[in-house]
Each structure stands twice: as C-alpha cells, then as structure tokens.
Amino acid sequence: MLSDLDRMIHKLVLGGIFLLPFLPLIVTTPFFFPFITGKAFFFRLLVQVIFAGYLVLAIRHRKYRPQFSPITWALLVWFVIAVLTSIFGVDPIRSFYSNFERMDGVLTYIHLLLYFVVITSVLSADKLWRWFFQTSLAVSLIVAYYGLAQLNGRIEINQGGVRLDATLGNAAYLASYLLIHIFIAGWLWLKARIAGLALGWHFLYAGIIVLHLFLLYKTATRGAILGLLGGLLVTAFLISLRERHDRRLRLVAGISLASVLLLVGGFILIRDASFIQSSPVLSRFATISPEEKTTKSRFLIWNMAWQGFQEKPIFGWGPGNFRFVFDKYYDPEMYGQEQWFDSSHNVALDWLIAGGVVGFLSFIAIFLALLYALWFKTSLGPAEKSLLTGLIAAYFFQNLFIFDNIVTYYFFFTVLAFIHFHTHLASDEPSESLRRPKSKKREAVIPSWTTAHQVGLAVGLVLIVVLFHLSVTKPALAAARLISSIKYSNEGQLTESLASLDQAVTGSPTARTEAREQIIMFAIRTLPQAEVPDELKTKILQITEREITAGLAENPANVRLYVFAANLAHRLGRLEQAAHYYEQALAFSPNKQTLMFDYSAVLMDKGEMAEALAVVKQAFELAPDFDEARIRYAYLAFLTGQTALAEELLLERFDTLAINHDLLLNLYVTEKRFDLVEEIWRSRLAARPTDLSTLMSYAGSLLVQDKETEAIVALEEARELFAVNNEDDDEEAIKAKDTAKEQIDQAIEAIKAGTIEVNVAS
C-alpha cells in the first residue's frame, strides 16, 4: 500500500499529466519563435517535474516500474540509433540541441521517452485514459474557438492570409492537431456507444467532430486533409471487414467508405468548375499535379534527399541536418521556392537522411510495432482497433508532406502509450494507487528507504536538474534575450541590444544558429551608421567576427553562415573577404543561383566584370527558365558591351526590352534609352494606378523626352482617381487623397513653369 506521501506524489504526477493537454494553448511572446519555444519549454518542464515524482514512486514501489512491450523495445532502439547518429553526424550540436525554430533533436527525444515511461506507468486504468482524452478534447475546443475568432476577423491570423493557425502559429500545425482530435472525438463517441451512454454524449462528440472538420478545411492544409480522408478510408474498411457484432456500425462504416470514395471521385471530375477554382481552399486541391508549384518543389526536395541518402546510406547525416543535404544537392529548378530548407517535408525521408537505412528502419519499426501490438497484443474491440489504425494511417500519411513539431510529437507518443497500456490491460476499476486503505489491518508495510534507493533517487534527481538546466533554463533565457535585443534595437539602445545578443549566443547551444544570424544582421544595420560611436562599432565587429569564426569552425559546411558573413563584408566594403565567403559557400552549394547573384555583385564592385558575367551566365545555364537569372545575365552583357547578346536574351523570352526590373530600368536611365524607361513606368502605373511615387516617375519619363503635354494629361487623369471617395474610406484615407491631389496640382504647375525636378530611376 501507499503512504500518504506516496499518495500525494501520485496525485501531483497525475495533475502534471493532465496539464499536458493544455500544451497547444501556450504562446510566449517574450520568447523567440513564441509559438514553438514556449510550448517546448512547457512540455520539457512538466515532463521533468512529473518524472521526478514518478522516480520516487518507481524506486519505492515495483508496480510503477516500466513494463515492456513491442512498442517499448522499438522506441528504445530508435532512441539509441538517434543518439548514435547524432554523435557521428555532420553537426552533432544541431542534432542534440536543435534550434528555436524547430525545438527538435535528442533533447526533445529524451523528454518524449520520459513522458512515455511516466504516462504508461501512472495512467493505469481505462477510466483515467478516457478522462485524459476528454481533457484534451476540451482543450481542442478552446483552440477551435480561437480559430473561429480568426475566421470572423476578431483575431489576426498569425501567418497572414486566410489559412487559420489559431494558437499553433502555423496552418499545417493546426491541421495536424485538429486531425488527431477528430479521431480522439471518434474514439470517445465509440466508447460512449459501447458503454450505452445517453444520446447527449453521442451528439456532443459528433458535434465536435463536425466543428473540427470545418476548421481543418479552413486551414487549407492538403497533407492533413488527404491524411484524414485516407485514415477514414482505412477505418471504414477495417470496420466493414472486422466488426462482426454491431451491424449498425458496419452499415455506417460501409456508407462512410462509399461516401469518401464518391466525394474524392466527384471532386476529381469537377475540379475545373468555377466555384472550385475561385475557392482559396478547394483550388489548392484542384491544382495538385506534378507541375503545380508546391508539388513540384516537393518532388525536387525529395530527389535531393535521395541523393543525400546515397552519399551516406548506412548511418546518415544526423538528425536535423537536412540543410547540408539541401545545400549540397540543391536543384536549380528550385529557384522559385524558399532557399533554405531544413527538412525534406517528409518525415520518412527525414529519417532516411538523419539515420540512413538504420535510422529509417528504426523509425518504421515504431509503426510496425504499434500496429502489431494494437492488433495482436490488446483486447480492444475490432471497431476501436480499426479507428486507432485509421488515426495511425492518417498521421503517417500527412507526415509524408510535412514534419513533426512538439505538439504532434506529444500526441503521437500519447497514442503509443495508450496502445502500450492496452497490451498490459488494467481493469476498468480505479488503480490501487488512487484508493486509501480502509483500515490499518489491510495496510501493507511501507518499503523502507535503503541506501540503494537513496543513491538511485539522488542520481536521478541530479540528472533531472542537469537536464532542466540544459533544456529549459539556458535556452529559455537565450530565447528571451533575443527578443530583448530586438526591443532594445528598435528603441535605439544599441549597447543593451548587443549585450543581449552576446548573452544569448553564449548562453545556450540551442540559440547559436539564430543568435549568430541576429548578431550579423545587427552589425549590418548599425556599423554603417555615422552616429554610432566608434567604440561601440569596434565591439560590435569583435563579437560578430568572433561568432562567424566560431560558427565556421564548428561546421565549415555552414553555407547560410557564409552568406551572412559575406553580406556583412560586402556592406563594409571588404570586397576580397566577401568574395572569399561567397566562393566558400558555392563550394558547398554549387548550384544555388541566388549565391551566384550575390557573388557577381561583389565581383562587379571589384571591377571584375568579365568574371561577374561568367558567374551569372552559369546561373542562367543551370535553369534557363529562371527569369531573374536571364535578366541578370542580360544586364551584365549590356555592361560589358555585349549589347546584341543582351537584347537576344531578353527578346527571346519577353518579346520586348522594356522588362519591369530595377536593374534594367536604371541601366536604361544611364544609357538615356527613355522610350524603354517610359514603357517600364507605364506598366508599373497600370499595376498601381494610385501609387503617387510611380505616377510621378512615369510623368518624369515623359518629361525627359520633352512630352510635357502628355505628362500633364497623365497627371490630370490620375488626379481624377484621387477625387473619388469610396464608401469605406475613413477620415485618414480621405486626407491622404487630398494630399495626393495637392501634390499632383503642384507637379502640374511646376511642369508649366519649367521648374520640376525629374527622377526616373527606381
């Protein structure tokens, strides 16, 4: 039996477990990446607290010690391989500590394992699990309310646009969360049906499912929605196949299966309908094809991942190190996409990169062990098994198009723990640990604290304190200091901003990546300012150079750091140093055109025009469809006197020389080709007819060609646009229009008087 102290510790551990479902609500604006870091720190802190309490119980009572199942063994093998591949990977620090944007890595894996051990040992009754999932579902309603508020415009969507993200800060993360809770609500509905609860419970869970389906649709996240459809198909098919006793449930499953198939098939048939193409959500699904921008980029990234796997096929590159693969095997056809991917957006491929074949098989083994344990080691009914299999299928499928975050990790390990619990089925009665003994006669002797117990507990608590320091205290302080540095900088307190940055970068390995980049950007902003004291400039430069040197020493293949360092050197006029950094970056990422553009700019400033032309020519030849590369190649050709080549490049693609691009516009101004300048400004004005600056530049392009009358006409026509007040114009908008009309009138008078100053450059 348990002592009063043990009973109190048990309740504290249970309380901590039931606080964890509130994880998605945590948003910490004082921290860098507030939607990610706060949740991770909350999870880590709570896990450490509940594990410390659990450790006391496990040392004193055998009943709390871990039980093993195929799931446990699979997790242990996966964890050991993750640690080994981290140690021997290309960036062990990144693999172990991760960074603020992801909060992944071995530190997170440790906490997930500790969480698995505690929850499987303490949630020892089916009733406790139902309460736990009901708590999580209740929290999901709070998240849903937040999403509805965003939909109604009462709360701003964090990413902008129309895709809801609620308290998760990312539409894809919210979609994953909703997807999981649709299945949780489905399981609770099923349990209510099995238990014969009142119809009110059935309607409650069904209503929550409908609400979450609606919000999932509003996230417009294709991977999660397709994952849901796949999971529903799996669930319905298995229920139809395996359920023998509940004919009504089999009928519902059969109807659901047919409905999903008809829905998908019907959508494919009418995907070109106008109402679908005009919908911001449905159009995302209608445009899915190998040539669609996002889909194409996924295939390109997956091909890069495959090449990276072939280089290190056995043990991989280490967790969190896909960025090195992305840089090295960058496909030039990615020119229209994000230039700094740190994930393949496919969890299976990420593990193929992180751990090679060994890591990938350990990852897949978790799912195989999960399904094996579910179907062959638990006494759950066919319908429950089918529903949980559908959840696993949906989660796995959607992760083929995105990556995990702390919230999805937490829920996946919860599912693992739940199925593990059912492999060691506890009764539906409250566990022994929750009951006080009825009399002293029935109370067993409390285990004594042996020396071994005391030593074990002391060692365990010391390790927890160390873990707390490494995973919570240090990175949390660093995350707060990064935000403080931005605040100080905005307020003009440059000395304080620099001090905060210095404390952040030296405070935690988790902060190093972002803190170093913030330091370099701070230096780029402040060093050119004449009003900044020389003493402060010297200190800024010392810290910046120290961190650049340290970062490149830690990993000489850090292309992104080379680019930041080169940008700083270029701004400071250190052209040789900037060129060296870009050359190093290109050595590790030889096919990235954006690096070539920046490198060519440095070569131009050095006066090495022929070399600059060769660099942009290479960028163009890597992907001739990349318009930016073509324009820059033509621009350098113009500058080096190869006018025929430049015009051929532009006419071949655009059928005109008047390309709306700042480089060409300024070149034409320099060469006094004002007919082309006029055409460019006319196209810009057509796109922004009420932009006053564009209007004045267009009028100027007419004036430099002695077309005063046409310039005045253009200004007068534009003045009429500002004379119209719309119903939704507020006082500020009306005032801005009046100011614009006044400036136009002044410009017209200046033209007539011959006193106007003309500037037609960009």
Side-chain angles (χ1 to χ4, degrees):
M1 302 294 286
L2 301 180
S3 68
D4 289 339
L5 176 61
D6 292 332
R7 202 177 303 280
M8 183 183 69
I9 293 174
H10 181 272
K11 289 180 178 179
L12 287 173
V13 173
L14 266 182
I17 291 173
F18 275 79
L19 278 176
L20 281 168
F22 291 87
L23 175 68
L25 301 180
I26 304 299
V27 180
T28 49
T29 52
F31 290 161
F32 206 61
F33 284 102
F35 292 97
I36 304 295
T37 52
K39 292 177 176 63
F41 296 142
F42 178 80
F43 177 74
R44 292 175 179 182
L45 176 60
L46 265 184
V47 167
Q48 291 164 15
V49 169
I50 64 176
F51 186 78
Y54 161 78
L55 195 60
V56 175
L57 297 175
I59 288 175
R60 287 170 54 80
H61 301 278
R62 186 179 299 275
K63 63 185 291 185
Y64 287 105
R65 294 171 192 173
Q67 294 179 300
F68 287 84
S69 70
I71 297 172
T72 313
W73 290 114
L75 284 177
L76 288 174
V77 170
W78 163 79
F79 177 73
V80 169
I81 290 173
V83 171
L84 291 176
T85 55
S86 296
I87 293 172
F88 298 105
V90 297
D91 191 344
I93 294 176
R94 176 65 175 261
S95 295
F96 191 85
Y97 290 98
S98 189
N99 64 350
F100 288 141
E101 186 177 7
R102 301 298 175 216
M103 293 300 286
D104 204 336
V106 173
L107 269 183
T108 293
Y109 304 156
I110 291 171
H111 287 85
L112 289 168
L113 275 182
L114 296 181
Y115 167 68
F116 177 84
V117 170
V118 175
I119 194 172
T120 53
S121 303
V122 176
L123 290 192
S124 54
D126 193 56
K127 184 179 294 185
L128 286 175
W129 279 100
R130 287 201 303 274
W131 292 345
F132 179 78
F133 285 129
Q134 285 167 343
T135 301
S136 190
L137 198 62
V139 174
S140 77
L141 289 177
I142 302 175
V143 175
Y145 174 79
Y146 199 98
L148 289 173
Q150 288 184 324
L151 188 62
N152 293 331
R154 288 185 287 123
I155 297 178
E156 185 179 355
I157 296 175
N158 301 293
Q159 289 183 304
V162 298
R163 299 178 62 193
L164 305 183
D165 52 18
T167 57
L168 281 299
N170 184 301
Y173 294 169
L174 175 60
S176 299
Y177 177 76
L178 294 170
L179 168 67
I180 292 168
H181 280 82
I182 287 170
F183 280 93
I184 289 176
W187 179 79
L188 289 170
W189 176 88
L190 192 60
K191 295 294 285 187
R193 178 181 174 81
I194 294 171
L197 298 182
L199 283 177
W201 289 102
H202 296 71
F203 287 122
L204 173 63
Y205 295 134
I208 293 173
I209 290 172
V210 171
L211 173 62
H212 286 9
L213 284 171
F214 172 71
L215 292 174
L216 175 60
Y217 171 80
K218 286 298 183 179
T219 67
T221 304
R222 293 179 291 190
I225 295 175
L226 292 175
L228 173 66
L229 293 175
L232 292 177
L233 284 173
V234 169
T235 299
F237 174 75
L238 289 174
I239 289 177
S240 301
L241 185 68
R242 303 292 301 230
E243 181 58 57
R244 301 299 184 194
H245 303 292
D246 194 332
R247 292 184 178 181
R248 187 174 298 178
L249 190 60
R250 286 185 66 187
L251 178 62
V252 171
I255 293 173
S256 300
L257 182 62
S259 299
V260 171
L261 292 174
L262 287 173
L263 176 67
V264 174
F267 180 82
I268 292 173
L269 290 176
I270 63 170
R271 62 191 299 179
D272 295 326
S274 58
F275 78 93
I276 290 178
Q277 294 299 321
S278 61
S279 168
V281 178
L282 295 177
S283 61
R284 283 176 55 82
F285 291 89
T287 56
I288 293 177
S289 72
E291 296 304 315
E292 188 261 334
K293 184 177 179 181
T294 302
T295 308
K296 183 179 179 180
S297 71
R298 289 291 189 270
F299 285 125
L300 292 173
I301 294 170
W302 294 345
N303 182 56
M304 295 179 218
W306 181 251
Q307 293 181 68
F309 160 70
Q310 290 178 307
E311 180 179 343
K312 297 180 182 292
I314 308 301
F315 297 107
W317 298 66
N321 289 331
F322 178 78
R323 59 179 178 148
F324 298 106
V325 174
F326 181 81
D327 289 335
K328 185 171 185 177
Y329 294 103
Y330 178 83
D331 191 315
E333 293 297 327
M334 281 286 293
Y335 57 79
Q337 297 290 331
E338 167 65 43
Q339 296 293 290
W340 302 106
F341 276 81
D342 61 359
S343 166
S344 68
H345 285 70
N346 180 309
V347 173
L349 280 177
D350 279 343
W351 275 105
L352 199 64
I353 290 296
V357 170
V358 175
F360 174 77
L361 290 178
S362 71
F363 168 74
I364 295 298
I366 295 174
F367 288 89
L368 295 178
L370 185 59
L371 292 173
Y372 172 74
L374 173 63
W375 283 95
F376 299 104
K377 295 292 184 179
T378 71
S379 58
L380 293 168
E384 288 182 88
K385 290 180 178 180
S386 300
L387 187 69
L388 290 169
T389 302
L391 169 57
I392 296 165
Y395 170 78
F396 184 86
F397 183 82
Q398 69 112 27
N399 268 6
L400 296 179
F401 304 97
I402 198 172
F403 43 83
D404 274 306
N405 62 84
I406 189 60
V407 174
T408 55
Y409 270 137
Y410 156 70
F411 280 109
F412 179 57
F413 271 71
T414 300
V415 172
L416 288 169
F418 177 67
I419 295 175
H420 167 90
F421 157 74
H422 277 282
T423 64
H424 302 280
L425 183 62
S427 69
D428 206 30
E429 294 295 320
S431 65
E432 183 73 17
S433 58
L434 292 178
R435 299 198 298 268
R436 291 181 63 88
K438 293 183 179 179
S439 67
K440 293 184 178 180
K441 294 180 180 179
R442 296 183 59 189
E443 185 173 353
V445 177
I446 302 300
S448 61
W449 278 97
T450 66
T451 302
H453 287 160
Q454 294 171 349
V455 171
L457 181 61
V459 171
L461 292 178
V462 167
L463 291 176
I464 290 173
V465 170
V466 172
L467 187 61
F468 173 75
H469 185 59
L470 291 176
S471 65
V472 178
T473 305
K474 293 180 69 175
L477 285 173
R481 283 165 177 159
L482 281 177
I483 292 296
S484 296
S485 72
I486 296 172
K487 178 183 176 183
Y488 285 135
S489 181
N490 292 337
E491 294 173 351
Q493 301 181 56
L494 300 182
T495 301
E496 292 80 359
S497 180
L498 179 63
S500 293
L501 286 170
D502 193 20
Q503 291 171 339
V505 77
T506 57
S508 169
T510 306
R512 286 180 187 171
T513 300
E514 285 103 346
R516 280 172 177 152
E517 293 177 2
Q518 289 293 319
I519 286 173
I520 297 172
M521 288 190 290
F522 177 76
I524 290 173
R525 290 194 305 269
T526 56
L527 290 177
Q529 297 178 24
E531 63 271 21
V532 177
D534 290 340
E535 182 180 351
L536 179 57
K537 286 185 178 182
T538 300
K539 190 173 182 180
I540 292 171
L541 201 55
Q542 287 175 345
I543 293 175
T544 305
E545 290 178 338
R546 180 197 74 194
E547 291 306 318
I548 290 173
T549 302
L552 294 177
E554 285 177 9
N555 201 303
N558 191 340
V559 173
R560 188 175 167 94
L561 186 55
Y562 281 121
V563 172
F564 273 81
N567 193 2
L568 173 62
H570 194 186
R571 295 292 183 90
L572 296 178
R574 300 177 176 182
L575 300 181
E576 291 295 338
Q577 187 181 52
H580 171 73
Y581 282 138
Y582 280 126
E583 287 162 5
Q584 291 296 107
L586 285 165
F588 291 108
S589 186
N591 293 328
K592 191 174 287 190
Q593 299 100 319
T594 52
L595 298 184
M596 298 177 189
F597 298 158
D598 293 339
Y599 181 38
S600 69
V602 173
L603 292 174
M604 288 171 61
D605 287 346
K606 290 178 66 181
E608 299 175 3
M609 303 302 291
E611 291 79 1
L613 177 66
V615 170
V616 293
K617 179 183 178 182
Q618 180 185 357
F620 166 73
E621 291 174 344
L622 286 171
D625 290 337
F626 187 10
D627 290 343
E628 182 69 19
R630 180 183 291 269
I631 290 170
R632 286 177 180 270
Y633 183 22
Y635 174 70
L636 262 297
F638 273 126
L639 291 181
T640 54
Q642 301 181 56
T643 304
L645 171 61
E647 293 184 348
E648 179 185 351
L649 286 166
L650 297 178
L651 292 172
E652 178 184 41
R653 175 70 171 174
F654 306 106
D655 293 325
T656 180
L657 298 180
I659 313 302
N660 186 3
H661 194 285
D662 284 348
L663 285 178
L664 292 177
L665 173 61
N666 294 332
L667 175 69
Y668 294 152
V669 170
T670 302
E671 295 187 347
K672 302 186 184 305
R673 300 181 68 170
F674 294 120
D675 57 329
L676 297 176
V677 174
E678 175 192 341
E679 193 172 340
I680 292 173
W681 279 116
R682 185 188 300 118
S683 68
R684 292 189 178 186
L685 186 62
R688 297 178 295 179
T690 58
D691 184 83
L692 193 60
S693 175
T694 302
L695 171 64
M696 293 302 182
S697 294
Y698 172 60
S701 71
L702 295 170
L703 290 173
V704 294
Q705 300 178 79
D706 298 324
K707 298 179 180 180
E708 289 85 356
T709 302
E710 292 182 33
I712 292 173
V713 169
L715 289 170
E716 289 176 340
E717 290 177 349
R719 190 184 187 284
E720 296 303 316
L721 296 176
F722 292 101
V724 178
N725 290 328
N726 300 318
E727 293 182 359
D728 56 348
D729 282 349
D730 56 19
E731 183 178 346
E732 186 176 345
I734 294 173
K735 185 177 179 180
K737 286 185 176 182
D738 290 339
T739 302
K741 287 185 291 184
E742 183 179 344
Q743 292 179 2
I744 291 173
D745 288 339
Q746 291 173 356
I748 292 173
E749 292 301 320
I751 292 173
K752 292 178 179 179
T755 59
I756 193 168
E757 295 182 3
V758 177
N759 179 18
V760 293
S762 62

